[in-house]
Amino acid sequence: MYLNCHSFHSLRYGTFSVQKLVQSALESGAERLCLTDINTMTAVYEFLKTCKEVGIKPVVGMEFRDEGELLYIALAKNEAALSEINQLLTDYNCEGLPLPRHHPEFRQSFTIYPLDQAPEKLLDHEYIGIRPSEVNMLYKKQWRNMICKMVVLQPVTVKNEDEYELHKVLRAIDLNTLITLLQPHQHCRADETMLSQEKLLNYYKQYPEIISNTQKLLDECSFDYDFSYPRNKKHYTRDKQNDIKLLTSLAYAGLTAKYGDHHIAARQRVEKELKVIDQLSFSGYFLITWDIVRYSNSMGFMHIGRGSGANSIIAYCLGITDICPLELDLYFERFLNLNRKTPPDFDLDWSWQDRDVILQYIFDRYGKEYVAFCGTNVEFKYKSILREVGKVFGLPKNELDALTTAPIALHDDNSVVKQVHKYGKMLDKFPNQRSMHSCGILISEEPISNYTALIMPPKGFPIVQFDMHTAEEIGFEKFDILSQRGIGSINDAVKLIRKNKGIQVDIRNTTISKNEKQCNEFLSTGKTIGCFYIESPAMRGLLRRLKCDNYKVLVAASSIIRPGVAQSGMMKEYIFRHNNPDQFEYFHPVFQEQLGETYGIMVYQEDVIKIALHFGGLPATDGDILRRAMSGKGRSLNALQKVKDNFFESCKQLGHPEELSTEVYRQIESFAGYSFCKAHSASYAVESYQSLYLKVHYPVEFMVAVINNQGGFYRTEVYIHEARMSGANILNPCVNHSEYQTNLYGKDVYLGFMHLQSMEKSIAELIVEERAKSGNYKSLEDFLKKIPIGIAGIEILIFIDAFRFTGKQKNELLIEARILVNDFKPAKIMETLFDEPVKEYQLPVLKRDVFEDAFDEIEILGFPVSVSPFDLMIHKYRGSVMAKDLIKYHKKQVKMVAYLISRKHVPTNRGDMFFGTWIDVEGNYFDTAHFADCLRTYPFKGGGCYILLGTVEVDFHFPNITIQKMEKMPFIPDPRYYHDEDKRYNAHEKIREDISMTHRAPYPQAHEIGLPRIKMK
């Protein structure tokens, strides 16, 4: 009898989770239950499953509202009805079509109007819903004749009085108003609860026809869904036979190109994979992916195929991936096997500049009715909850800031704050808004609206109303179409090399970059700034500790840096065993047989599965549960926990001692976070090598490309420093040489206008366009005649020395600019028929301090260009040891002066610590460790130069300084404000540092890891 129930997926309205809603129905004695969330189908499939689990018949539908006004409720008679309900909302969301106030064109659905919205005439499938409070109105003549078309309408929105207040909090958040200002029509009624069946029907005892109408309507609704049936687009060609025929042809053509005609192992692998792909009817999925990549290649784009798809030699032969699975012993079953009922998924990366073109192709090629982005449900988070709830209770900004920054124990103890805490806790994990999955695309065999309504965000690509977990449950596997700046850097570097040096680098040919001698030398010494995935301080330190000088070790490094491995302590153990291969034993033969390549350490997802199967004797189904939990596809650790009992029981039957089994499972369990599959690590390693090859052989072009793609781990200043260390001559923007992005002439690097923090992009682009059309600017006056720029914009260009070609000092140019701007208005500039002679102004010569330019640069760019930060120090001391010599000072105290690049927060059992990354006066990088007790006395004080005192610890070839003391060194006062004491140190605050915070449990110490290095019996 509950035809109108809301879950909390009726965003900022309902208060029930799906589970709690169904449980309440069960407690009330209901045999049927309708879910009709407001303008959404988000929870339909979870609702179906939950109802079936407890024996309640599910009925699904939607409550349609327009600008908050309830129009009608639609209930689906069957599965087909879902499509028409979804399509109506999709047209409203995506096409801007108005919702009809009456008689929506439903053929398979019932429409129920609230009493105050009922039309004069009802169609056969239309009814009027009568609330218990409205029964007394039925004596009126206008309604008496309509009783035959009336049904019970008891909306369910809240569970009790507390949740009613929570509902009002949600409504106030949604309407951005104070809770005290809410109007009755803006929130539900207090009686919208799940009444008992008996109590509900008692309201209608005088009108049994209404009860029977309701029962009849519910009897006619029968919605079911086959969760085991794949819903992705089935075929690339017209049918399965033609799909496998085309796939086979493409695979063998690729086989010849990659391996030649006589590689027996490769041919056998291709034959084996084709057979499995055909049996599972997955040829279409491979071909659609190939088609997307083919289009990308036709556009000259570079892509990276990664993830478990790289386990497939067919993917390699089709050019989807660049990973040879034979080289790395990647087994196809990790990606696809006969037990798998859902399609595999490929992760495909493009440059952030090219991704939208690829997306548009997919939507155009496969049809907007069949393609959509996966959605996500953004939940209320801790800080946002307190801020949002605090606002509706009228707290001022300073108190809201205190709520979100101070620990709860330090919050005020007044009644309002207690209310905020109360409702804040109730809102935890509530969905707050729907958004777009960052990369997941669904391509459906049937119109997407058969399964869900769509939303159209500002970006312009439609989104389904469910998330990736629901998509997978109902039979969809997404195509992950991602973007990253690393590919953009590689792409742009290749173009710059061709333009600057006339050399065409075939960077897609991975044989030129993988295991190239000079690349491996850079790799083993951590000279990888700017290179995808291997440039962070932690990764560079790991590469040095491993003396990583080949592809396979880099593949392992790409995985052991991940939290799952590091958290378990296996990263430290891997480093030890890699450097001391004769100082450990495999503690069980299975580990030597299965994990010999990684010294018996579980590094990849595949390793964990191998041990679970070969040591623990688990069935393949439990192995897949492990894989899914580790890859983040499980919603919690529950999936991993389910196999634990089976594991120990199986180990016992196999005769393994309990102590040994416990240790093995401890290692398995540590991977419950997110570890890489081996193919994923291999894909990352290939891209790392591609970027490293460009850095080694074409360093200036590569670093300019990194700068233009806005870097990676570090700020722009660091990449500019790296370009200078590579031989580049770094020059400030110039109106006659600079582009919007940074550009290159030989070794001269002209910073782009994009780095001028206050420069409008449209003006910057116009400067370049006008120069291309009319030639170089002859003077400041010539520039101002052509470019409609205000005085603030022209001052930025003068201060950054963009008019240095005139030979005039900045002081002169500033005066001249003010005179010229007063002579004419830039908005009224018109092209003259003939060039007028440039006016010459006789201005006084003003003396400038040598460091004034540096402070102009700091103010505008955030860092100095014309000098080094060390040149700005008051003191001339530069330390007693340089970074290049640190490895000679193991266990010795050193004093150094260095410029702060970045620091990373790390939680430990003894308190928070930081790792610092610095450059010395010679421009070389080094790293420091700052423990909590030291930081209390010698904290970081922002960007700049510091004097450091500490002890060098060389850990497997990698020197790190444990700091005992440090102090920030003063810079000279700003000479531009020699007579203004208040402003002499303002620019100093612009000097930055990169800070990254870590939110995780402390990693274990060496003595806590306890990973056995001897055979266990």
Side-chain angles (χ1 to χ4, degrees), residues 548-604:
C548 177
D549 63 356
N550 64 76
Y551 174 53
K552 288 192 175 182
V553 175
L554 180 57
V555 172
S558 298
S559 186
I560 66 175
I561 197 73
R562 299 293 294 181
V565 190
Q567 181 72 46
S568 68
M570 292 184 193
M571 179 172 73
K572 291 183 179 180
E573 187 63 19
Y574 181 92
I575 294 168
F576 173 84
R577 295 187 183 191
H578 178 78
N579 285 281
N580 302 284
D582 57 347
Q583 293 184 29
F584 75 94
E585 298 175 350
Y586 292 93
F587 66 89
H588 191 276
V590 168
F591 282 73
Q592 186 168 9
E593 294 164 10
Q594 300 295 329
L595 308 181
E597 184 183 299
T598 55
Y599 315 109
I601 304 293
M602 285 185 265
V603 168
Y604 312 110

Coordinates of all heavy atoms in Angstrom, one line a residue, residues 548-604:
C548 N 67.8 0.9 -9.9 CA 66.9 0.4 -11.0 C 67.5 0.7 -12.3 O 67.6 1.9 -12.7 CB 65.5 1.0 -10.8 SG 64.4 0.6 -12.1
D549 N 67.9 -0.3 -13.1 CA 68.5 0.0 -14.4 C 68.0 -0.9 -15.5 O 68.6 -1.2 -16.5 CB 70.0 -0.2 -14.3 CG 70.4 -1.6 -13.9 OD1 69.5 -2.5 -13.6 OD2 71.7 -1.9 -13.9
N550 N 66.7 -1.4 -15.3 CA 66.1 -2.2 -16.4 C 64.6 -2.1 -16.3 O 64.0 -1.8 -15.2 CB 66.6 -3.6 -16.4 CG 66.3 -4.4 -15.2 OD1 65.1 -4.8 -15.0 ND2 67.2 -4.5 -14.3
Y551 N 64.0 -2.5 -17.3 CA 62.5 -2.5 -17.5 C 61.8 -3.3 -16.4 O 60.9 -2.8 -15.7 CB 62.1 -2.9 -18.9 CG 60.7 -3.1 -19.1 CD1 59.8 -2.0 -18.9 CD2 60.1 -4.2 -19.7 CE1 58.4 -2.1 -19.2 CE2 58.8 -4.3 -20.0 CZ 57.9 -3.3 -19.7 OH 56.6 -3.4 -20.0
K552 N 62.3 -4.5 -16.1 CA 61.5 -5.4 -15.2 C 61.6 -4.9 -13.8 O 60.6 -5.0 -13.1 CB 62.1 -6.8 -15.3 CG 61.7 -7.5 -16.6 CD 62.0 -9.0 -16.6 CE 61.5 -9.7 -17.8 NZ 61.7 -11.2 -17.8
V553 N 62.7 -4.3 -13.4 CA 62.8 -3.8 -12.0 C 61.9 -2.5 -11.9 O 61.3 -2.3 -10.9 CB 64.2 -3.5 -11.7 CG1 64.3 -2.7 -10.3 CG2 65.1 -4.7 -11.6
L554 N 61.9 -1.7 -13.0 CA 61.0 -0.6 -13.0 C 59.5 -1.0 -12.9 O 58.7 -0.3 -12.2 CB 61.2 0.3 -14.3 CG 60.3 1.5 -14.4 CD1 60.5 2.5 -13.2 CD2 60.6 2.3 -15.7
V555 N 59.1 -2.1 -13.6 CA 57.8 -2.6 -13.4 C 57.5 -2.9 -12.0 O 56.4 -2.5 -11.5 CB 57.6 -3.8 -14.3 CG1 56.2 -4.4 -14.1 CG2 57.7 -3.4 -15.8
A556 N 58.4 -3.6 -11.3 CA 58.2 -3.9 -9.9 C 58.1 -2.6 -9.1 O 57.3 -2.5 -8.2 CB 59.3 -4.8 -9.4
A557 N 59.0 -1.7 -9.3 CA 59.1 -0.4 -8.6 C 57.7 0.3 -8.7 O 57.3 0.9 -7.8 CB 60.2 0.5 -9.1
S558 N 57.1 0.3 -9.9 CA 55.9 1.0 -10.1 C 54.7 0.4 -9.3 O 53.8 1.1 -9.0 CB 55.5 0.9 -11.6 OG 56.4 1.5 -12.4
S559 N 54.9 -0.8 -8.8 CA 53.9 -1.5 -8.0 C 54.2 -1.3 -6.5 O 53.3 -1.1 -5.7 CB 53.7 -2.9 -8.4 OG 52.6 -3.5 -7.7
I560 N 55.5 -1.5 -6.2 CA 55.8 -1.6 -4.7 C 55.7 -0.2 -4.1 O 55.6 -0.1 -2.9 CB 57.2 -2.2 -4.4 CG1 58.3 -1.4 -4.9 CG2 57.2 -3.6 -4.9 CD1 59.7 -1.9 -4.6
I561 N 55.7 0.9 -4.9 CA 55.5 2.2 -4.4 C 54.1 2.4 -3.9 O 53.7 3.4 -3.2 CB 55.9 3.3 -5.4 CG1 56.1 4.7 -4.8 CG2 54.9 3.4 -6.5 CD1 57.4 4.8 -3.9
R562 N 53.2 1.6 -4.4 CA 51.7 1.7 -4.1 C 51.5 1.5 -2.6 O 52.2 0.7 -1.9 CB 50.9 0.8 -4.9 CG 51.0 1.0 -6.4 CD 50.4 2.3 -6.9 NE 49.0 2.3 -6.6 CZ 48.2 3.4 -7.0 NH1 48.7 4.4 -7.5 NH2 46.9 3.3 -6.8
P563 N 50.4 2.1 -2.1 CA 50.1 1.9 -0.6 C 50.0 0.5 -0.1 O 50.4 0.2 1.0 CB 48.8 2.7 -0.5 CG 48.8 3.7 -1.6 CD 49.5 3.0 -2.7
G564 N 49.3 -0.4 -0.9 CA 49.1 -1.7 -0.5 C 50.4 -2.4 -0.1 O 50.5 -3.1 0.9
V565 N 51.4 -2.3 -1.0 CA 52.7 -3.0 -0.7 C 53.5 -2.3 0.4 O 54.0 -2.9 1.3 CB 53.5 -3.0 -2.0 CG1 54.8 -3.9 -1.9 CG2 52.7 -3.5 -3.2
A566 N 53.5 -0.9 0.3 CA 54.3 -0.2 1.3 C 53.7 -0.3 2.7 O 54.4 -0.5 3.7 CB 54.3 1.3 0.9
Q567 N 52.4 -0.3 2.8 CA 51.7 -0.4 4.1 C 52.0 -1.8 4.7 O 52.1 -1.9 6.0 CB 50.2 -0.3 3.9 CG 49.4 -0.4 5.2 CD 49.6 0.9 6.1 OE1 49.5 2.0 5.6 NE2 49.8 0.7 7.4
S568 N 52.2 -2.8 4.0 CA 52.4 -4.1 4.5 C 53.9 -4.3 4.9 O 54.2 -5.3 5.6 CB 52.1 -5.2 3.4 OG 53.0 -5.1 2.4
G569 N 54.7 -3.4 4.6 CA 56.1 -3.5 4.8 C 56.9 -4.3 3.8 O 58.1 -4.5 3.8
M570 N 56.1 -4.8 2.7 CA 56.8 -5.6 1.7 C 57.7 -4.7 0.8 O 58.6 -5.2 0.2 CB 55.7 -6.3 0.9 CG 55.0 -7.3 1.7 SD 53.8 -8.3 0.6 CE 52.9 -9.1 1.9
M571 N 57.5 -3.4 0.7 CA 58.4 -2.6 0.0 C 59.8 -2.6 0.6 O 60.8 -2.8 -0.1 CB 57.9 -1.1 -0.1 CG 58.8 -0.2 -0.9 SD 58.1 1.5 -1.2 CE 58.2 2.2 0.5
K572 N 59.9 -2.4 1.9 CA 61.2 -2.4 2.5 C 61.8 -3.8 2.4 O 63.1 -3.9 2.2 CB 61.0 -2.1 4.0 CG 60.6 -0.6 4.3 CD 60.5 -0.4 5.8 CE 60.2 1.1 6.0 NZ 60.1 1.4 7.5
E573 N 61.1 -4.8 2.5 CA 61.6 -6.2 2.4 C 62.1 -6.4 0.9 O 63.1 -7.0 0.7 CB 60.6 -7.2 2.8 CG 61.2 -8.6 2.9 CD 62.2 -8.8 3.9 OE1 62.4 -8.0 4.8 OE2 63.0 -9.8 3.8
Y574 N 61.4 -5.9 0.0 CA 61.8 -6.1 -1.4 C 63.1 -5.4 -1.7 O 64.0 -5.9 -2.3 CB 60.7 -5.5 -2.4 CG 61.0 -5.7 -3.8 CD1 60.6 -6.8 -4.5 CD2 61.8 -4.7 -4.5 CE1 60.9 -6.9 -5.9 CE2 62.1 -4.9 -5.8 CZ 61.7 -6.0 -6.5 OH 62.0 -6.1 -7.8
I575 N 63.3 -4.2 -1.1 CA 64.5 -3.4 -1.3 C 65.7 -4.2 -0.7 O 66.7 -4.3 -1.3 CB 64.4 -2.0 -0.7 CG1 63.4 -1.2 -1.4 CG2 65.8 -1.3 -0.7 CD1 63.0 0.1 -0.7
F576 N 65.5 -4.8 0.5 CA 66.5 -5.6 1.1 C 66.9 -6.8 0.3 O 68.1 -7.0 0.0 CB 66.0 -6.0 2.5 CG 67.0 -7.0 3.2 CD1 68.1 -6.5 3.9 CD2 66.9 -8.3 3.1 CE1 69.0 -7.3 4.5 CE2 67.8 -9.2 3.7 CZ 68.8 -8.7 4.4
R577 N 65.9 -7.5 -0.2 CA 66.2 -8.8 -0.9 C 66.8 -8.5 -2.3 O 67.6 -9.2 -2.8 CB 64.9 -9.6 -1.0 CG 64.4 -10.1 0.3 CD 63.2 -11.1 0.2 NE 62.7 -11.5 1.5 CZ 61.9 -12.4 1.7 NH1 61.4 -13.1 0.7 NH2 61.5 -12.7 2.9
H578 N 66.4 -7.4 -2.9 CA 66.9 -7.0 -4.2 C 68.4 -6.7 -4.1 O 69.2 -7.0 -5.0 CB 66.2 -5.8 -4.7 CG 66.7 -5.3 -6.0 ND1 66.3 -5.9 -7.2 CD2 67.5 -4.2 -6.3 CE1 66.9 -5.2 -8.2 NE2 67.6 -4.2 -7.7
N579 N 68.8 -6.0 -3.0 CA 70.2 -5.7 -2.8 C 71.0 -6.8 -2.1 O 72.2 -6.8 -2.2 CB 70.3 -4.4 -1.9 CG 69.9 -3.1 -2.7 OD1 70.7 -2.6 -3.5 ND2 68.7 -2.7 -2.5
N580 N 70.3 -7.7 -1.5 CA 71.0 -8.8 -0.8 C 70.3 -10.2 -1.1 O 69.7 -10.8 -0.3 CB 70.9 -8.6 0.7 CG 71.5 -7.3 1.2 OD1 72.7 -7.1 1.2 ND2 70.6 -6.3 1.5
P581 N 70.5 -10.6 -2.4 CA 69.8 -11.8 -2.8 C 70.3 -13.1 -2.2 O 69.6 -14.1 -2.2 CB 70.0 -11.8 -4.3 CG 71.2 -11.0 -4.5 CD 71.2 -10.0 -3.5
D582 N 71.4 -13.0 -1.5 CA 72.0 -14.2 -0.8 C 71.7 -14.2 0.7 O 72.3 -15.1 1.4 CB 73.5 -14.3 -1.1 CG 74.2 -13.1 -0.7 OD1 73.6 -12.1 -0.4 OD2 75.5 -13.2 -0.7
Q583 N 71.0 -13.3 1.2 CA 70.8 -13.2 2.6 C 69.3 -13.5 3.1 O 68.9 -13.0 4.1 CB 71.2 -11.8 3.1 CG 72.6 -11.4 2.9 CD 73.0 -10.1 3.5 OE1 72.4 -9.6 4.5 NE2 74.1 -9.5 3.0
F584 N 68.6 -14.3 2.3 CA 67.3 -14.7 2.7 C 67.0 -16.1 2.1 O 67.7 -16.5 1.1 CB 66.2 -13.7 2.3 CG 65.9 -13.7 0.8 CD1 64.9 -14.5 0.3 CD2 66.7 -13.0 -0.1 CE1 64.6 -14.5 -1.0 CE2 66.4 -13.0 -1.4 CZ 65.3 -13.8 -1.9
E585 N 66.0 -16.7 2.7 CA 65.5 -18.0 2.1 C 64.0 -17.8 1.8 O 63.3 -17.0 2.5 CB 65.7 -19.1 3.1 CG 67.1 -19.5 3.5 CD 67.1 -20.5 4.6 OE1 66.1 -20.9 5.2 OE2 68.2 -21.0 4.9
Y586 N 63.6 -18.5 0.8 CA 62.1 -18.5 0.6 C 61.5 -19.4 1.7 O 61.9 -20.5 1.9 CB 61.8 -19.1 -0.8 CG 62.3 -18.3 -1.9 CD1 63.5 -18.5 -2.5 CD2 61.5 -17.2 -2.4 CE1 64.0 -17.6 -3.5 CE2 61.9 -16.4 -3.5 CZ 63.2 -16.6 -4.0 OH 63.6 -15.8 -5.1
F587 N 60.5 -18.7 2.4 CA 60.0 -19.4 3.6 C 59.0 -20.6 3.3 O 58.6 -21.2 4.2 CB 59.5 -18.5 4.6 CG 58.2 -17.7 4.3 CD1 57.0 -18.2 4.5 CD2 58.3 -16.5 3.7 CE1 55.8 -17.5 4.2 CE2 57.2 -15.8 3.4 CZ 56.0 -16.3 3.7
H588 N 58.7 -20.8 2.0 CA 58.0 -22.0 1.6 C 58.2 -22.2 0.1 O 58.4 -21.2 -0.7 CB 56.5 -21.8 1.8 CG 55.7 -23.0 1.7 ND1 55.2 -23.5 0.5 CD2 55.3 -24.0 2.6 CE1 54.6 -24.6 0.6 NE2 54.6 -24.9 1.9
P589 N 58.3 -23.4 -0.4 CA 58.6 -23.7 -1.8 C 57.7 -23.0 -2.8 O 58.1 -22.6 -3.9 CB 58.6 -25.2 -1.9 CG 58.9 -25.7 -0.5 CD 58.3 -24.6 0.4
V590 N 56.4 -22.9 -2.4 CA 55.4 -22.2 -3.3 C 55.8 -20.8 -3.6 O 55.7 -20.3 -4.7 CB 54.0 -22.2 -2.7 CG1 53.1 -21.3 -3.4 CG2 53.5 -23.7 -2.7
F591 N 56.4 -20.1 -2.6 CA 56.8 -18.7 -2.8 C 58.0 -18.6 -3.8 O 58.1 -17.7 -4.6 CB 57.2 -18.1 -1.5 CG 56.0 -17.6 -0.7 CD1 55.2 -18.6 -0.1 CD2 55.6 -16.3 -0.6 CE1 54.1 -18.2 0.6 CE2 54.5 -15.9 0.1 CZ 53.7 -16.9 0.7
Q592 N 58.9 -19.6 -3.8 CA 60.0 -19.6 -4.7 C 59.5 -20.0 -6.1 O 59.9 -19.4 -7.1 CB 61.1 -20.6 -4.3 CG 62.3 -20.6 -5.1 CD 63.5 -21.4 -4.5 OE1 63.3 -22.1 -3.5 NE2 64.6 -21.3 -5.1
E593 N 58.6 -20.9 -6.2 CA 58.1 -21.3 -7.5 C 57.2 -20.2 -8.2 O 57.4 -20.0 -9.4 CB 57.2 -22.6 -7.3 CG 57.9 -23.8 -6.9 CD 57.0 -24.9 -6.4 OE1 55.7 -24.7 -6.5 OE2 57.4 -25.9 -5.8
Q594 N 56.4 -19.6 -7.4 CA 55.4 -18.6 -8.0 C 56.0 -17.2 -8.0 O 55.6 -16.4 -8.8 CB 54.1 -18.7 -7.2 CG 53.4 -20.0 -7.2 CD 53.0 -20.4 -8.6 OE1 52.7 -19.6 -9.4 NE2 53.0 -21.7 -8.9
L595 N 56.8 -16.8 -7.0 CA 57.3 -15.4 -6.8 C 58.8 -15.3 -6.9 O 59.3 -14.3 -6.3 CB 56.7 -14.9 -5.5 CG 55.3 -15.0 -5.2 CD1 54.9 -14.4 -3.8 CD2 54.4 -14.4 -6.3
G596 N 59.4 -16.1 -7.6 CA 60.9 -16.0 -7.7 C 61.4 -14.7 -8.3 O 62.4 -14.2 -7.9
E597 N 60.6 -14.2 -9.3 CA 61.0 -12.9 -9.9 C 61.0 -11.8 -8.9 O 61.8 -10.8 -9.1 CB 60.1 -12.6 -11.1 CG 60.4 -11.4 -11.9 CD 59.4 -11.1 -13.0 OE1 59.2 -12.0 -13.8 OE2 58.7 -10.1 -12.9
T598 N 60.2 -11.8 -7.9 CA 60.1 -10.7 -6.9 C 60.6 -11.2 -5.5 O 60.2 -10.7 -4.5 CB 58.7 -10.2 -6.8 OG1 57.8 -11.3 -6.5 CG2 58.3 -9.5 -8.1
Y599 N 61.5 -12.1 -5.5 CA 62.2 -12.6 -4.3 C 61.2 -13.1 -3.2 O 61.5 -12.9 -2.0 CB 63.0 -11.4 -3.7 CG 63.8 -10.7 -4.7 CD1 63.5 -9.4 -5.1 CD2 64.9 -11.3 -5.3 CE1 64.2 -8.7 -6.0 CE2 65.7 -10.6 -6.3 CZ 65.3 -9.3 -6.6 OH 66.1 -8.6 -7.6
G600 N 60.1 -13.7 -3.7 CA 59.2 -14.2 -2.7 C 58.3 -13.2 -2.1 O 57.5 -13.5 -1.2
I601 N 58.3 -12.0 -2.6 CA 57.5 -10.9 -2.1 C 56.3 -10.7 -3.0 O 56.4 -10.7 -4.2 CB 58.3 -9.5 -2.1 CG1 59.6 -9.7 -1.3 CG2 57.4 -8.4 -1.5 CD1 59.4 -9.9 0.2
M602 N 55.1 -10.6 -2.3 CA 53.9 -10.3 -3.1 C 53.9 -8.8 -3.5 O 53.7 -7.9 -2.6 CB 52.7 -10.7 -2.3 CG 52.4 -12.2 -2.2 SD 50.9 -12.6 -1.3 CE 51.5 -12.8 0.3
V603 N 54.0 -8.6 -4.8 CA 54.2 -7.2 -5.3 C 52.9 -6.8 -6.1 O 52.5 -5.7 -6.1 CB 55.4 -7.1 -6.2 CG1 55.5 -5.8 -7.0 CG2 56.7 -7.2 -5.3
Y604 N 52.4 -7.8 -6.9 CA 51.3 -7.5 -7.8 C 50.0 -8.2 -7.3 O 50.1 -9.2 -6.5 CB 51.6 -8.0 -9.2 CG 52.9 -7.6 -9.7 CD1 54.0 -8.5 -9.9 CD2 53.2 -6.2 -10.0 CE1 55.2 -8.1 -10.4 CE2 54.4 -5.8 -10.5 CZ 55.4 -6.8 -10.7 OH 56.7 -6.4 -11.2

